[in-house]
Amino acid sequence: MGLKTLCLGMFCVIFVSHIYTPLPANIEESWKVMVLDTIAKTCTFMAICFENIGIMRYEEFISMIFHLDYTEPQSDEYVTVTDTTFVDIPVRLYVPKRKSETPRRAVIYIHGGAFCFGSFKQTALDFLNRWTAKTLDAVVIGVDYRLAPQHHFPAQFEDCLTVVKYFLQDKILTKYRVDPTRICISGDSSGGALTAAVTQKALFAEYLGINDFMNTVKFLTSFQEVPPTSDENVTVTETTFNNIPVRVYVPKRKAKTLRRGLFFIHGGGWCLGSAAWFSYDLLSRRTADQLDTVVVSTNYRLAPEYHFPIQFEDVYDALKWFLRQDVLEKYGVDPERVGVSGDSAGGNLAAAVAQELIKDPDVKIKLKTQSLIYPALQTLDMDLPSYRENAQFPILPKSFMVRLWSEYFTTDGSFEKAMLLNQHVPVESSHLFKFTNFKKGHVYNTPTYGSSELAQKYPGFLDVRAAPLLAEDTQMRGLPRTHVMTCQYDVLRDDGVMYVTRLRNNGVHVTHTHIEDGFHRAFSLLNLKICYRMINQYIDWLRENL
């Protein structure tokens, strides 16, 4: 009797003996589940029997069963499928055939199988990856890796990490026309464990050689984006102002006079965010409708791909374009009623461009207002009372804020470390500390000065365009009517408080709204009541002052 006949006979006998397995009543298509469970139990039982009588190892038998389900790489009318290797690791690529005007998403998929079995060649996984590529118009990479018992940990992890590192190279992303900010890694069962391990390595060890922490966060936050959809009250369009992408919100009701104009700059620590985020889209839509205002919500290039002063320059170029007489006329905006606003890093950029406009002789139309929502305004002191008191507060702990600040200027980890220790300002810049001595009990008597070399390599952190609090009094005096909103439980609280003090001392009309129960990002968390309270205060101030 041959081995195949023996296997078939045993399989039938064992299958019949296991066919009935009681399942909970709420299991859908329970008979299919029962059959699949019986097949799995039968194969497992046979594997144990064969190993005990010395025919073959348990893992060899299960692997043989898995191989019966393998498929060849077959392209279809929608997807091109090829088998290749990434640094000697087998992968199967699924590339959509339809033309794409923009870079695509990408999904890296790691199969399950308890680290011992399985392959991207399995029928179910081949169908899943093919369907994902077609449905999402995404490049999909199915990953194989060395299996136990021939190979033990960390071989499986290293293979998956090698593939991810290889794929995330700029030249490879360019080759497959993949958007570097829209990459996902996924897996099932043990593949999910490998996915989590690779992601953690990427997040916490900076092992991949790129700023994968921010890329991962960018990918996760990209799901907040919504298309530019007009409604019964507001027309929403996307265009460019001096090659900078912007989203414009124009009220639909007829205007009897020229409208206000508001230039809004999103937050996100100069690394994240978009005018397309749902919360910003809703804010701009609501502002346009309630104030009968034309709102321009701008994008800008983000770190870590782009560092200061790129973000500032993008925003400034877009704002200057908006302030052109012909552009204001096109949108029906009153040139004497234009304001700028932004939250967090957007508040930083709003303050910076407002200062820059004062000394720009080419700009004839000036701002009437600026509204800064918990802005980041200084890079000198990472040990202000607000930083100490809220160092571990949710949403924006001190370590994350320092990471965002440092990414704005460089990917050099030594700068981030120095900033976190508050040892980044060189002695030759010690005179700037006068700007942070805003309250009794917080004076730098014996500051710990940092490396002059770091300051020479990354001088941007002491540039007034990055840290508007460092502006001289003469530059402060010409600023427009200002609104500053701060939150008690926010590391950036004291930045706003210091700026209010500086502005008032220089004769600028300032309204300071302090939210005693507020915290960073509360302005954008639409599922919280505090969000709408803050938005209402913001819109009320604009209604009275813009």
Side-chain angles (χ1 to χ4, degrees):
M1 180 182 296
L3 179 60
K4 291 184 179 179
T5 305
L6 175 63
C7 289
L8 180 60
M10 287 184 63
F11 183 87
C12 292
V13 172
I14 299 170
F15 184 89
V16 171
S17 67
H18 286 86
I19 188 60
Y20 179 70
T21 303
L23 295 174
N26 61 345
I27 297 295
E28 189 176 7
E29 296 185 296
S30 59
W31 69 271
K32 290 184 180 180
V33 177
M34 193 180 300
V35 170
L36 292 172
D37 178 63
T38 302
I39 292 173
K41 288 180 177 178
T42 301
C43 291
T44 300
F45 187 84
M46 291 178 65
I48 293 171
C49 290
F50 281 16
E51 184 173 64
N52 287 338
I53 62 179
I55 295 178
M56 64 174 63
R57 288 174 59 89
Y58 173 92
E59 294 84 358
E60 292 172 349
F61 180 84
I62 299 297
S63 293
M64 181 181 71
I65 299 299
F66 269 87
H67 274 79
L68 297 176
D69 188 42
Y70 285 4
T71 61
E72 294 299 317
Q74 295 181 350
S75 301
D76 58 29
E77 58 185 306
Y78 303 108
V79 180
T80 299
V81 184
T82 54
D83 283 353
T84 184
T85 60
F86 283 0
V87 197
D88 298 325
I89 310 301
V91 299
R92 180 168 286 184
L93 288 171
Y94 301 79
V95 180
K97 286 186 175 180
R98 63 179 179 269
K99 292 183 179 180
S100 177
E101 297 180 357
T102 59
R104 289 186 165 98
R105 304 174 174 101
V107 178
I108 302 171
Y109 192 88
I110 304 174
H111 69 79
F115 314 101
C116 302
F117 318 112
S119 168
F120 57 64
K121 299 176 183 178
Q122 291 172 246
T123 302
L125 294 183
D126 179 75
F127 174 82
L128 172 64
N129 290 334
R130 187 184 303 269
W131 181 80
T132 302
K134 173 188 171 183
T135 306
L136 298 183
D137 191 29
V139 175
V140 178
I141 304 95
V143 184
D144 269 355
Y145 47 87
R146 289 170 290 173
L147 299 172
Q150 291 84 2
H151 305 281
H152 299 291
F153 177 84
Q156 294 83 349
F157 168 79
E158 290 173 345
D159 286 356
C160 294
L161 185 61
T162 297
V163 168
V164 174
K165 285 179 61 179
Y166 178 84
F167 183 69
L168 291 178
Q169 295 179 93
D170 288 340
K171 63 179 181 181
I172 303 302
L173 296 178
T174 301
K175 177 181 177 180
Y176 294 106
R177 296 198 73 242
V178 169
D179 184 341
T181 68
R182 305 187 75 185
I183 300 170
C184 173
I185 182 170
S186 179
D188 66 293
S189 191
S190 57
L194 290 167
T195 295
V198 169
T199 303
Q200 287 180 0
K201 191 72 173 179
L203 286 172
F204 301 117
E206 300 296 323
Y207 190 77
L208 302 185
I210 62 173
N211 293 295
D212 31 273
F213 173 82
M214 285 302 169
N215 284 336
T216 302
V217 178
K218 281 181 183 178
F219 173 76
L220 294 173
T221 57
S222 69
F223 291 105
Q224 300 183 47
E225 295 181 4
V226 294
T229 306
S230 301
D231 58 31
E232 66 271 19
N233 299 316
V234 180
T235 299
V236 184
T237 57
E238 288 186 336
T239 184
T240 59
F241 280 6
N242 202 16
N243 297 319
I244 307 302
V246 299
R247 185 171 285 196
V248 184
Y249 301 77
V250 181
K252 284 187 174 180
R253 61 181 177 270
K254 290 184 179 180
K256 297 180 180 179
T257 60
L258 292 177
R259 289 186 165 102
R260 303 173 174 99
L262 183 66
F263 188 86
F264 183 81
I265 309 165
H266 71 77
W270 310 277
C271 303
L272 311 166
S274 167
W277 275 13
F278 176 74
S279 58
Y280 291 128
D281 177 78
L282 182 65
L283 173 67
S284 296
R285 193 180 299 271
R286 186 169 180 174
T287 305
D289 181 41
Q290 292 192 11
L291 296 183
D292 194 27
T293 301
V294 174
V295 178
V296 176
S297 184
T298 189
N299 280 314
Y300 47 90
R301 287 171 288 179
L302 299 172
E305 290 80 10
Y306 303 96
H307 299 295
F308 174 82
I310 295 297
Q311 292 83 343
F312 169 84
E313 291 172 347
D314 283 357
V315 171
Y316 192 63
D317 289 345
L319 177 57
K320 284 183 66 175
W321 185 270
F322 182 49
L323 290 175
R324 287 172 42 176
Q325 186 66 43
D326 59 329
V327 176
L328 295 178
E329 289 177 359
K330 174 183 176 180
Y331 291 104
V333 172
D334 185 342
E336 295 184 358
R337 302 184 74 186
V338 181
V340 64
S341 68
D343 70 314
S344 193
N348 166 280
L349 291 165
V353 296
Q355 290 182 3
E356 191 73 11
L357 282 174
I358 295 173
K359 56 185 181 182
D360 191 334
D362 296 330
V363 180
K364 306 304 180 184
I365 297 172
K366 301 300 182 181
L367 297 173
K368 183 178 181 182
T369 64
Q370 62 172 340
S371 183
L372 315 177
I373 312 302
Y374 39 64
L377 297 169
Q378 60 85 33
T379 53
L380 294 176
D381 188 1
M382 300 296 107
D383 195 41
L384 289 169
S386 58
Y387 272 93
R388 291 199 301 267
E389 294 165 15
N390 302 296
Q392 303 301 326
F393 200 86
I395 309 295
L396 189 66
K398 174 181 176 178
S399 58
F400 190 41
M401 187 62 231
V402 169
R403 174 63 181 264
L404 294 170
W405 264 126
S406 65
E407 291 278 7
Y408 190 23
F409 306 109
T410 176
T411 56
D412 184 347
S414 63
F415 181 75
E416 179 189 355
K417 182 178 179 180
M419 208 172 197
L420 191 61
L421 295 173
N422 216 32
Q423 298 176 0
H424 57 294
V425 179
V427 64
E428 56 268 27
S429 300
S430 59
H431 62 286
L432 297 174
F433 282 121
K434 64 184 179 182
F435 294 125
T436 61
N437 294 335
F438 75 104
K439 61 171 64 175
K440 186 177 180 181
H442 190 73
V443 177
Y444 278 87
N445 294 320
T446 55
T448 303
Y449 296 116
S451 165
S452 296
E453 182 181 354
L454 274 179
Q456 291 168 3
K457 287 174 67 177
Y458 313 115
F461 81 94
L462 296 176
D463 191 311
V464 68
R465 295 173 300 169
L469 184 69
L470 305 187
E472 294 296 333
D473 289 347
T474 52
Q475 194 169 348
M476 292 273 191
R477 289 171 191 146
L479 287 171
R481 185 176 291 248
T482 300
H483 175 220
V484 178
M485 184 177 287
T486 57
C487 291
Q488 182 66 24
Y489 305 109
D490 183 4
V491 293
L492 299 179
R493 179 194 68 210
D494 294 344
D495 284 28
V497 172
M498 290 187 289
Y499 204 55
V500 167
T501 303
R502 293 281 319 280
L503 290 172
R504 284 177 175 163
N505 289 344
N506 284 284
V508 178
H509 187 285
V510 183
T511 300
H512 180 201
T513 303
H514 184 66
I515 313 299
E516 287 291 347
D517 58 343
F519 51 90
H520 202 81
R521 280 220 73 207
F523 190 68
S524 301
L525 298 177
L526 299 173
N527 57 334
L528 300 179
K529 292 180 180 179
I530 190 175
C531 172
Y532 295 97
R533 175 155 46 94
M534 292 173 70
I535 288 175
N536 288 338
Q537 290 175 306
Y538 164 77
I539 290 178
D540 287 345
W541 185 88
L542 290 172
R543 182 180 288 110
E544 294 176 8
N545 293 277
L546 180 56

